[in-house]
Amino acid sequence: EDKVVQSPLSLVVHEGDTVTLNCSYEVTNFRSLLWYKQEKKAPTFLFMLTSSGIEKKSGRLSSILDKKELFSILNITATQTGDSAVYLCAVDNQGAQKLVFGQGTRLTINP
Amino acid sequence: DSGVTQTPKHLITATGQRVTLRCSPRSGDLSVYWYQQSLDQGLQFLIQYYNGEERAKGNILERFSAQQFPDLHSELNLSSLELGDSALYFCASSVGVASTYEQYFGPGTRLTVT
């Protein structure tokens, strides 16, 4: 059965800190791994990763995929209170044409 | 604003009842996906429709059904509701049939079963 596991489940840091969120997966017919940010309601897309070792970057956020070890990390540097959210990792199962989501990491940034 | 709309925003109903959730995809998107998000289960894929036809099925209960209409809006029907069906239900849309990565999520419908 397809599985996506995120860690930690919850993280509280101070503004300005750097955080690393983890996502490991077991899925048949892997196509891509995606990161979403969920604040109050709908998840919003952050990154899609398909190749190992190639970092995707957007401002203070970056992510990388390791297809050999079956995991990805999401880094956020110089965190701000607006980064407080649940970060979801999902894996695209090409065969089943569906996204399999992890439980999410709830990140809280204190001023 | 993703361009995906969902109604109603909130729904409170009793066990045993039936409800219908509605979703309008972004203009031009042919695929609609339904998800259930509960505290203990996370975000779970339920079902996908593409241009009116069912294309993929996830963890959808037999008490639940969905359809996509010719104007591409979709409805999720939940019947014989149980307390455990209380959750946030999201609709997402994308352009193509296999473009799962380009999904845009609606604001969700919060269902409370009492």
Side-chain angles (χ1 to χ4, degrees), chain A residues 31 38 41-42 48 92 97 103, chain B residues 37 42 97-98 100-101 106-107:
Chain A
R31 173 159 58 186
Q38 186 176 22
K41 281 288 182 92
M48 181 184 73
D92 186 354
Q97 291 188 58
Q103 287 284 78
Chain B
Q37 187 175 39
V97 62
T100 49
Y101 57 92

Side-chain angles (χ1 to χ4, degrees), chain A residues 11-15 19 37-40 60 76 79-87 105-111:
Chain A
L11 186 58
V12 181
V13 299
H14 287 107
E15 208 167 17
V19 297
K37 178 181 182 182
Q38 186 176 22
E39 296 178 83
K40 292 185 179 175
R60 297 175 294 101
I76 309 176
T79 52
Q80 303 171 357
T81 55
D83 295 327
S84 295
V86 174
Y87 289 83
T105 293
R106 181 173 295 279
L107 177 63
T108 303
I109 311 295
N110 289 326

Side-chain angles (χ1 to χ4, degrees), chain A residues 35-92:
Chain A
W35 284 96
Y36 286 84
K37 178 181 182 182
Q38 186 176 22
E39 296 178 83
K40 292 185 179 175
K41 281 288 182 92
T44 53
F45 173 79
L46 293 175
F47 296 113
M48 181 184 73
L49 304 155
T50 55
S51 302
S52 275
I54 298 175
E55 186 183 57
K56 291 279 183 94
K57 200 169 170 65
S58 176
R60 297 175 294 101
L61 277 68
S62 64
S63 183
I64 199 161
L65 173 68
D66 186 328
K67 290 169 73 173
K68 184 180 175 186
E69 300 296 329
L70 307 182
F71 78 91
S72 173
I73 59 172
L74 174 68
N75 279 320
I76 309 176
T77 59
T79 52
Q80 303 171 357
T81 55
D83 295 327
S84 295
V86 174
Y87 289 83
L88 297 167
C89 171
V91 175
D92 186 354

